[in-house]
């Protein structure tokens, strides 16, 4: 298994507070992704990164920002958490530059509850 | 934008029987990949099987096989000799072969194997 860790694994916070989730990988993979999982929606892409300091928006990016200052870390920030951001957040990575349909490796997920 | 549809929210089957999970997708592109991911109660996302669109032969991984119908844009998963450990959420997913490989997921099918 790819070495992907997420921290924290669980978090409860209050509406309006900032929250940062961290994804750390030891595989030197170029691409990193943040997804959220909600009942009835499957997993949806929030943001992704295709290299250090290179990021782009996904399908549900409103209210989220990301940063990647080094290859192994990809941070997801909720500047002012809302109850609609209560979800399970997954980080994923893959290393190939060009297609090949290679597998994305997923972290264990972070359950975030916004009260 | 591409879409992935899983029309069976829940399914159940007796242990040792065969079950088929359905997935349809919509895209105007010709070069893409399809995946089935398994998510057991542990929440970990596990790749079950992948299919490259340019390959006519259906992918097989032990007890898991797919029926890929490109013209019909259908990608079903067959699980043979089902086992209790197959109990999980199953997600169908799609990605283009463009390099950044953002995944688009279906809403999932919750499969229960009955002893």
């Amino acid at each position: 298994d790819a070495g992907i860790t997420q921290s924290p694994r669980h978090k409860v916070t209050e509406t309006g507070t900032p929250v940062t989730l961290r994804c750390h990988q030891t595989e030197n993979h170029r691409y990193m992704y943040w997804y959220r999982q909600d009942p009835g929606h499957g997993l949806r892409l929030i943001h992704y990164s295709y290299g250090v300091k290179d990021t782009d928006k996904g399908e549900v990016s409103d209210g989220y920002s990301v940063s990647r200052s080094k290859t192994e870390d990809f941070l997801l920030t909720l500047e002012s958490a809302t109850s609609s951001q209560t979800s399970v957040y997954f980080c994923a990575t893959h290393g190939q530059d060009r297609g090949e349909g290679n597998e994305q490796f997923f972290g264990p997920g972070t359950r975030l509850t916004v009260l | 934008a591409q879409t992935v549809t899983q029309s069976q929210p829940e399914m159940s089957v007796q242990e040792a029987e065969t079950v088929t999970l359905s997935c349809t997708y919509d895209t105007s592109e010709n070069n893409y990949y399809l995946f089935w991911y398994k998510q057991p109660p542990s929440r970990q996302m596990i790749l079950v099987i992948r299919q490259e669109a340019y390959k006519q032969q259906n992918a097989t991984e032990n007890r898991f096989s797919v029926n890929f119908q490109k013209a019909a844009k259908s990608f079903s998963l067959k699980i043979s000799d089902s086992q209790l450990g197959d109990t999980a959420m199953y997600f169908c997913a799609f990605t283009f072969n463009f390099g950044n490989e953002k995944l688009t997921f279906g809403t999932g099918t919750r499969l229960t194997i009955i002893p």
Side-chain angles (χ1 to χ4, degrees):
Chain A
D1 288 344
I4 304 172
T5 57
Q6 293 183 230
S7 58
R9 295 291 312 280
H10 300 87
K11 186 172 182 65
V12 180
T13 191
E14 293 187 350
T15 298
T17 60
V19 176
T20 296
L21 307 183
R22 179 181 184 238
C23 177
H24 179 78
Q25 55 123 341
T26 59
E27 301 297 315
N28 200 35
H29 283 172
R30 177 182 175 185
Y31 295 94
M32 298 186 75
Y33 309 81
W34 277 108
Y35 296 89
R36 61 177 289 175
Q37 181 179 10
D38 304 289
H41 291 278
L43 281 76
R44 292 178 292 175
L45 182 66
I46 305 171
H47 282 279
Y48 67 100
S49 170
Y50 45 96
V52 174
K53 293 185 169 49
D54 292 323
T55 65
D56 205 350
K57 295 179 180 180
E59 177 187 0
V60 290
S61 60
D62 286 349
Y64 302 95
S65 62
V66 290
S67 65
R68 192 167 178 203
S69 59
K70 45 187 178 177
T71 299
E72 55 266 36
D73 289 327
F74 192 33
L75 303 181
L76 176 70
T77 297
L78 291 66
E79 299 291 346
S80 178
T82 67
S83 58
S84 65
Q85 293 176 313
T86 292
S87 187
V88 178
Y89 292 85
F90 285 95
C91 174
T93 75
H94 87 80
Q96 294 294 326
D97 275 347
R98 184 87 194 134
E100 303 292 332
N102 52 287
E103 176 181 359
Q104 279 193 23
F105 297 93
F106 284 81
T110 294
R111 180 176 294 280
L112 175 67
T113 302
V114 183
L115 302 175
Chain B
Q2 66 279 7
T3 59
V4 178
T5 301
Q6 293 179 250
S7 59
Q8 304 153 312
E10 295 187 13
M11 296 185 73
S12 60
V13 66
Q14 292 290 135
E15 189 177 7
E17 292 186 347
T18 295
V19 61
T20 298
L21 280 58
S22 301
C23 173
T24 59
Y25 60 95
D26 188 23
T27 182
S28 58
E29 296 292 335
N30 208 36
N31 190 8
Y32 53 87
Y33 291 83
L34 295 160
F35 304 87
W36 280 98
Y37 278 89
K38 170 185 178 180
Q39 186 181 45
S42 67
R43 207 166 65 196
Q44 183 66 46
M45 293 290 288
I46 302 165
L47 179 66
V48 175
I49 199 165
R50 89 187 84 196
Q51 176 75 43
E52 298 159 83
Y54 66 87
K55 288 187 175 180
Q56 292 186 334
Q57 186 173 4
N58 289 326
T60 300
E61 290 287 343
N62 300 315
R63 297 183 296 108
F64 299 87
S65 61
V66 299
N67 183 6
F68 174 48
Q69 302 289 327
K70 190 172 183 178
K73 297 181 181 176
S74 171
F75 182 61
S76 61
L77 174 69
K78 185 172 81 171
I79 306 174
S80 303
D81 185 25
S82 57
Q83 301 174 359
L84 297 179
D86 296 333
T87 292
M89 281 287 287
Y90 287 82
F91 293 99
C92 180
F94 170 105
T95 187
F96 293 120
N97 185 19
F98 290 165
N100 59 38
E101 299 212 3
K102 297 176 286 182
L103 285 169
T104 298
F105 286 86
T107 52
T109 296
R110 184 175 301 280
L111 176 66
T112 302
I113 308 301
I114 302 167

